[in-house]
Amino acid sequence: MANKTYWSEFLRGVTKDNPVFALLLGLCPALAVTTSMENGIGMAAASMFVLMCANLIISSLKNHIPPTIRVPIFILVIATFVSIIGMVMEAYSPALHSALGVFVPLIVVNCMIIGRAEAYASKNPVSFSAVDALGIGTGFLLVLATIGSIRELFGTGEIVLFGFQLIQIPIDSSSFMIMPPGAFFTIAILMALVNYRRDKMLERGG
């Protein structure tokens, strides 16, 4: 752990190991539920809760989990917290729960969460596993909120978050942006910009 700090681990999850733009994980919810900023934030928050809880439990029990059955145990732990967040959302935010639909229970098989359990939480202390979850979750939140806000703004001409209108612009909105092709178009443009910036930074570093 000598070369690790909590801050560096957090930043790594947001930037270098960003689940969508770097690791290319969690693309299904990134494309499917981001028809609005609110949906993107809701999905990312639910995923962050599950990721944080799963990382903490798996890291705490890593020395007691038999290697041969570690993946089924990881899935059982993740499924427990997915059930909890699903019931909480259905009770306190039924509209958001309905909008996210099947993608809430599908958090169980989200490669981002299973991957962090296998690659990080099962090999690192509880404190670093918590920071890893926070960094990865924050990176996922920023991406989904960005994609959702872009699609909602150009698809409807406004951004509404939990009943409050944040932005409204006088444009001819296009339903294309809130349809599946709009999701692919938006994420492709954002990935191109991220890769361009990364290449420029590597050139300056070289």
Side-chain angles (χ1 to χ4, degrees), residues 30-199:
L31 293 170
V33 307
T34 53
T35 53
S36 69
M37 184 179 184
E38 182 175 321
N39 287 355
I41 291 175
M43 186 69 206
S47 299
M48 185 187 292
F49 169 80
V50 174
L51 178 59
M52 175 65 73
C53 294
N55 267 22
L56 290 174
I57 296 297
I58 291 168
S59 180
S60 299
L61 300 178
K62 62 181 183 294
N63 295 327
H64 305 285
I65 298 176
T68 54
I69 59 170
R70 68 185 187 284
V71 173
I73 291 178
F74 293 168
I75 294 175
L76 178 62
V77 171
I78 293 167
T80 299
F81 292 109
V82 170
S83 298
I84 292 172
I85 194 62
M87 289 186 288
V88 170
M89 291 178 67
E90 188 173 13
Y92 293 99
S93 186
L96 179 60
H97 183 267
S98 177
L100 297 180
V102 71
F103 289 97
V104 174
L106 282 178
I107 293 174
V108 174
V109 291
N110 190 318
C111 294
M112 175 185 74
I113 297 174
I114 297 175
R116 297 324 292 170
E118 171 69 16
Y120 199 95
S122 63
K123 299 178 177 65
N124 287 277
V126 173
S127 59
F128 276 97
S129 296
V131 174
D132 176 73
L134 186 61
I136 294 290
T138 301
F140 196 53
L141 172 64
L142 292 174
V143 171
L144 263 63
T146 300
I147 296 173
S149 61
I150 292 172
R151 294 180 64 193
E152 182 179 10
L153 184 62
F154 290 100
T156 66
E158 62 180 1
I159 295 178
V160 178
L161 184 61
F162 304 115
F164 296 95
Q165 186 182 70
L166 301 182
I167 300 175
Q168 184 176 30
I169 57 175
I171 63 169
D172 292 328
S173 57
S174 172
S175 59
F176 167 82
M177 290 300 293
I178 56 177
M179 294 174 66
F184 285 100
F185 177 79
T186 303
I187 200 170
I189 294 297
L190 291 175
M191 281 186 172
L193 292 173
V194 169
N195 288 331
Y196 176 79
R197 182 176 180 275
R198 185 183 295 124
D199 289 343

